[in-house]
Amino acid sequence: MPRTRVEPRFQIDYLSILDSDGILDDALDPDIPPDLLQRMYRAMLLGRRLDERMVRLQRQGRIGTFAPIKGQEAAQIGSVATLTPRDWMVPSFRETAAMLWRGWPIEKMLMFFAGYLEGGSPAPGQRDLPITIPVATQLPHAVGLAYAAQYRDDDAVVMAYFGDGATSEGDFHEAANFAGVWHVPVVFVCQNNQWAISVPFKKQTHARTIAQKALAYGFPGIQVDGNDLLAVYAVTKEAVDRARNGDGPTLIECVTYRLGVHTTADDPTKYRSEDEVKAWEKKDPLTRLVPYLERKGLRTSGVEEELDAEIAAAVERFEAAPAPDPLMVFDHVYAERPPHLDRERSEMMERLAEVTPGRGDDGTDTTSLPMRGQRMTRR
Amino acid sequence: MARLNMVKALNLALLQEMERDDDIVIIGEDVGVDGGVFRVTEDLHRKFGGKRVIDSPLAEAGIIGTAVGMALYGLKPVCEIQFSGFAFQCFHQIENHAARYRTRTQGRLTVPMVIRMPFGGGARALEHHSESEEQFYAHIPGLKMVIPSGPRNGRALLVSALRDPDPVIFFEHKALYHAAKDEVPEESETMPLGRAVVDREGRDLTVIGWGGMMRVAREAADTLHAEDGISVELIDLLTIAPLDAQTLIASAQKTGRILIVHEAPKSFGPGAEVVASIMEGAFLSLEAPIRRVTAYDVPFPGFAREKANVPDAARVVAVARETLAY
């Protein structure tokens, strides 16, 4: 028998609609409704302004380590905007803009990065998972959610976020494989921002694209200019529609760039050149969008000021809030507190009463200790 | 009432709970058409179909990770890890997520699920098929760790685990699957999680065990009674975590002499926690140092040598006599 070709189809598309010079491919313009487009631009800008504010808050010691998103606003908003509230969003830890879009209040994001788990609790009925830190481990959860939705005849779609580094993890493989076998409504959105801390994409995989990995799992993968809001939106909408129509998963690789640090604990000058960053700054997802909005007559003035005021008010509310009670660490370990945790809770309560005069016997904190960040504001 | 071995008794628990609650789905390797390599899920695929009894790809992290997602949605997955020795490939999903989701979201999102794993020696199996790792799970806040010792309590505890709002690790000792039969009532029964039982009342010495070691402990108690006239109190832990310290302390106060039998290696093992709990609650009642009879601190040997590694009644009797003579 001769050698025969069993898989002749292997091609990966790359979609760009509005390029970094602001040149638009009219034929491909997804014609996002004006209201939505304005909201999306506003959300990108909010993501950028909050990001910059949070980096400063971290530098001032008012929140802890934080993973900035600067440069990835289009990848996040272009994709998340295709979901309805009935759909599920599964983030990793660098999806601030997408999470704000889904309704997470700024204060909660600040709480989370100030070291309080209260920041990780979605609102009742909100179909979002909280920030997940161990890389790629959230991806099987997304597939399980999608399986459950299908099992319950719920037409919800699940969108899962991760980075280029995550595609090296076993959980990426297992999640993608299960998604393919089960043919579930999940959209994998990889923000390939070129760097997993200090390790560049070419050391992460010898494959030319991440998108092509989907083919091995039996579903489509597509690469898109991740800094092009229009292209990300067009590709994701198609994937979400496919998923909702029962056509299974899609892997979207958003080619983007982390313009800032990995986290506020990182110094990227150790591993990448200024020139590289400058080249990507020219491809900024926000910059190219402004002339597009102007051409459509959708650019309104004063948005930056509005957003800054919104952020300032949220920071103020966050810092004015009383410190959450330390005793609550015992409250949600199990549905019902077992005896050994009752004992440990009593022990902590007694100790707190000793070191915190004015603390109520019932464990309520009457002195309103400053939060971790607040203490350092008196510089 | 029917006389059932543990495989049939666990199967009955799954069948009845699946009839009662259509949120329950089973997921694992070979659990569907094949009925599980130990046949615990036999016939369930035929009764409930492939959507509810899922033959998953061969991937432990995928099984636990997708089950976490199903549980977050509101289903109640029952995962089977084919052998507990393979669970290291999903340990991160259990520790990072199954155990923590309730805490992470302040009770907003929870993951009620049951993770079943055959464990323990005596099945003459190759490497990684015979270990006892209950201490790893018992150490993780947010998990419950349950180990039945026979068909009837296995069935009742599995029903309780399936109705529990928290993630439960459910260890099934392979050597017990076909070892003995119990009268198991047709109507569903439960046993509280987090509660040890006094398996046999006694005055002179308390022997604490669980899972496959209860057979060894009972045999040793019989010998001590017959040959030495010793009255042994036997405690079957049933739930390793959260530990029922109260029952252990009460027995220590009564007998003053304690011996723990387990199949996991000794150092930093589950017995150490039992010792510490008794020391904290009944120190002044103790007449002798608490002793542990366990597997040795070596990787579980090939099955040709497993009998020498796992505690047997003779070792328990010998150590019991030292404790009694102290």
Side-chain angles (χ1 to χ4, degrees):
Chain A
M1 285 296 285
R3 182 191 290 211
T4 57
R5 180 161 298 168
V6 294
E7 180 58 88
R9 294 161 300 142
F10 180 24
Q11 60 179 51
I12 290 297
D13 292 345
Y14 173 85
L15 184 70
S16 161
I17 298 175
L18 180 66
D19 74 12
S20 51
D21 297 323
I23 295 165
L24 175 73
D25 185 331
D26 283 306
L28 292 173
D29 188 341
D31 289 319
I32 301 172
D35 280 6
L36 178 58
L37 186 59
Q38 274 183 316
R39 277 179 55 218
M40 288 167 77
Y41 174 69
R42 197 177 186 282
M44 285 171 66
L45 205 52
L46 174 62
R48 175 69 59 94
R49 304 295 271 211
L50 177 62
D51 205 62
E52 290 168 350
R53 183 81 176 104
M54 284 176 80
V55 171
R56 288 200 300 277
L57 289 170
Q58 189 280 333
R59 298 294 183 229
Q60 293 162 354
R62 293 154 78 178
I63 61 169
T65 302
F66 158 69
I69 63 157
K70 187 177 178 182
Q72 301 179 211
E73 296 86 351
Q76 294 185 22
I77 297 301
S79 52
V80 77
T82 61
L83 296 181
T84 71
R86 290 282 304 153
D87 296 324
W88 285 85
M89 200 276 278
V90 179
S92 67
F93 53 79
R94 199 189 299 285
E95 276 78 37
T96 315
M99 289 178 75
L100 295 175
W101 179 272
R102 292 287 291 178
W104 290 79
I106 294 172
E107 296 99 292
K108 260 193 188 170
M109 304 300 295
L110 294 169
M111 285 280 272
F112 181 85
F113 287 106
Y116 293 99
L117 287 181
E118 285 84 343
S121 175
Q126 186 183 356
R127 289 189 144 188
D128 287 14
L129 298 192
I131 286 173
T132 294
I133 292 176
V135 172
T137 60
Q138 75 279 14
L139 300 178
H141 306 165
V143 177
L145 285 169
Y147 186 94
Q150 210 172 50
Y151 179 81
R152 281 268 165 261
D153 292 324
D154 167 358
D155 73 347
V157 171
V158 184
M159 188 171 290
Y161 287 91
F162 55 104
D164 40 311
T167 65
S168 302
E169 291 277 9
D171 277 18
F172 166 76
H173 161 68
E174 295 192 25
N177 188 46
F178 276 55
V181 172
W182 289 347
H183 204 64
V184 286
V186 62
V187 179
F188 295 105
V189 179
C190 178
Q191 299 185 74
N192 177 359
N193 68 12
Q194 313 303 324
W195 290 94
I197 308 190
S198 67
V199 177
F201 177 59
K202 66 172 183 291
K203 286 192 184 174
Q204 210 60 247
T205 173
H206 196 52
R208 181 153 172 209
T209 70
I210 285 168
Q212 73 199 57
K213 292 173 187 260
L215 305 185
Y217 303 110
F219 56 84
I222 183 164
Q223 203 181 52
V224 60
D225 178 350
N227 287 6
D228 174 356
L229 183 78
L230 307 183
V232 174
Y233 178 84
V235 159
T236 316
K237 189 162 189 329
E238 197 182 317
V240 167
D241 290 345
R242 284 187 65 248
R244 210 180 305 283
N245 292 332
D247 293 329
T250 307
L251 170 59
I252 298 170
E253 176 186 1
C254 299
V255 180
T256 182
Y257 192 78
R258 161 166 59 81
L259 288 172
V261 290
H262 159 68
T263 68
T264 45
D266 170 47
D267 171 15
T269 62
K270 274 194 77 177
Y271 53 80
R272 67 185 192 187
S273 73
E274 189 82 351
D275 287 350
E276 183 187 300
V277 180
K278 285 212 170 95
W280 276 95
E281 276 170 352
K282 293 205 181 83
K283 303 180 192 175
D284 190 306
L286 277 156
T287 319
R288 71 177 81 173
L289 206 53
V290 173
Y292 175 80
L293 290 171
E294 279 168 352
R295 280 202 299 279
K296 295 208 164 213
L298 295 174
R299 175 114 160 91
T300 49
S301 58
V303 181
E304 284 86 347
E305 291 74 12
E306 257 176 59
L307 294 173
D308 287 347
E310 192 181 316
I311 292 165
V315 172
E316 205 168 299
R317 285 194 300 275
F318 156 70
E319 297 201 318
D325 194 325
L327 288 174
M328 59 76 57
V329 300
F330 298 106
D331 288 351
H332 299 291
V333 185
Y334 298 95
E336 207 176 308
R337 201 160 51 229
H340 74 286
L341 286 184
D342 274 338
R343 287 194 298 277
E344 292 181 7
R345 185 178 185 278
S346 302
E347 185 192 306
M348 189 198 258
M349 189 155 60
E350 282 166 27
R351 203 176 58 81
L352 287 171
E354 281 166 24
V355 300
T356 319
R359 197 186 163 81
D361 289 341
D362 58 350
T364 54
D365 193 340
T366 56
T367 55
S368 192
L369 281 173
M371 288 179 61
R372 168 182 171 169
Q374 289 173 294
R375 209 167 294 153
M376 296 180 65
T377 58
R378 303 185 209 99
R379 279 167 299 154
Chain B
M1 198 73 94
R3 284 188 67 75
L4 301 178
N5 65 22
M6 193 148 102
V7 169
K8 298 282 185 206
L10 296 172
N11 182 265
L12 180 66
L14 291 169
L15 170 71
Q16 290 181 330
E17 287 304 291
M18 286 181 83
E19 282 171 342
R20 180 180 165 271
D21 179 359
D22 68 5
D23 283 337
I24 296 179
V25 295
I26 291 179
I27 174 169
E29 295 156 10
D30 310 295
V31 296
V33 176
D34 197 37
V37 295
F38 289 103
R39 303 290 178 258
V40 174
T41 56
E42 182 116 285
D43 238 15
L44 299 176
H45 183 271
R46 191 179 58 75
K47 288 200 173 85
F48 299 106
K51 282 268 165 206
R52 284 190 76 187
V53 184
I54 308 162
D55 271 324
S56 77
L58 204 166
E60 287 75 18
I63 292 168
I64 303 300
T66 56
V68 166
M70 293 176 199
L72 288 168
Y73 185 94
L75 302 187
K76 164 88 72 166
V78 184
C79 308
E80 178 175 305
I81 297 299
Q82 205 157 72
F83 288 88
S84 65
F86 304 143
F88 296 95
Q89 294 193 77
C90 57
F91 196 75
H92 67 293
Q93 282 292 346
I94 296 174
E95 200 280 347
N96 290 173
H97 298 302
R100 290 170 180 252
Y101 242 104
R102 181 182 290 280
T103 295
R104 181 177 302 145
T105 62
Q106 309 297 291
R108 186 82 74 208
L109 296 174
T110 61
V111 285
M113 61 194 283
V114 177
I115 303 175
R116 297 181 35 246
M117 303 188 206
F119 83 113
R124 295 183 61 76
L126 294 176
E127 197 186 358
H128 309 296
H129 290 73
S130 306
E131 288 72 13
S132 296
E133 307 95 338
E134 57 268 32
Q135 60 282 0
F136 298 144
Y137 304 99
H139 189 62
I140 299 173
L143 296 181
K144 292 177 180 171
M145 171 75 233
V146 174
I147 307 183
S149 60
R152 185 161 182 175
N153 64 33
R155 188 272 198 113
L157 287 167
L158 185 53
V159 170
S160 296
L162 288 164
R163 296 179 188 178
D164 198 84
D166 292 308
V168 178
I169 309 293
F170 195 88
F171 266 24
E172 299 162 8
H173 199 288
K174 287 184 287 291
L176 294 180
Y177 272 145
H178 301 281
K181 290 181 177 176
D182 278 348
E183 292 293 338
V184 178
E186 174 62 24
E187 65 278 13
S188 201
E189 60 178 2
T190 60
M191 281 181 88
L193 305 188
R195 203 80 58 77
V197 296
V198 178
D199 188 75
R200 187 185 296 182
E201 299 235 14
R203 292 181 313 275
D204 305 324
L205 168 74
T206 301
V207 176
I208 300 166
W210 54 89
M213 285 298 103
M214 286 310 295
R215 286 193 309 164
V216 171
R218 286 183 199 120
E219 192 187 330
D222 290 343
T223 304
L224 287 164
H225 181 70
E227 294 179 8
D228 305 40
I230 293 297
S231 158
V232 174
E233 176 142 305
L234 284 177
I235 293 183
D236 186 351
L237 219 44
L238 297 174
T239 298
I240 310 303
L243 184 68
D244 179 7
Q246 220 40 55
T247 298
L248 305 178
I249 289 165
S251 184
Q253 285 166 342
K254 179 169 151 192
T255 67
R257 294 173 201 273
I258 308 285
L259 196 156
I260 299 153
V261 195
H262 66 65
E263 212 177 307
K266 180 184 276 184
S267 297
F268 303 93
E273 182 59 35
V274 174
V275 172
S277 295
I278 293 170
M279 292 297 281
E280 285 168 11
F283 177 66
L284 294 176
S285 304
L286 295 176
E287 302 289 346
I290 303 174
R291 296 290 299 273
R292 290 173 287 167
V293 180
T294 71
Y296 297 108
D297 286 332
V298 299
F300 199 90
F303 67 80
R305 297 194 176 92
E306 69 181 319
K307 278 194 174 147
N309 186 52
V310 173
D312 58 16
R315 270 176 71 192
V316 176
V317 167
V319 175
R321 285 177 178 148
E322 289 173 19
T323 305
L324 288 158
Y326 187 86

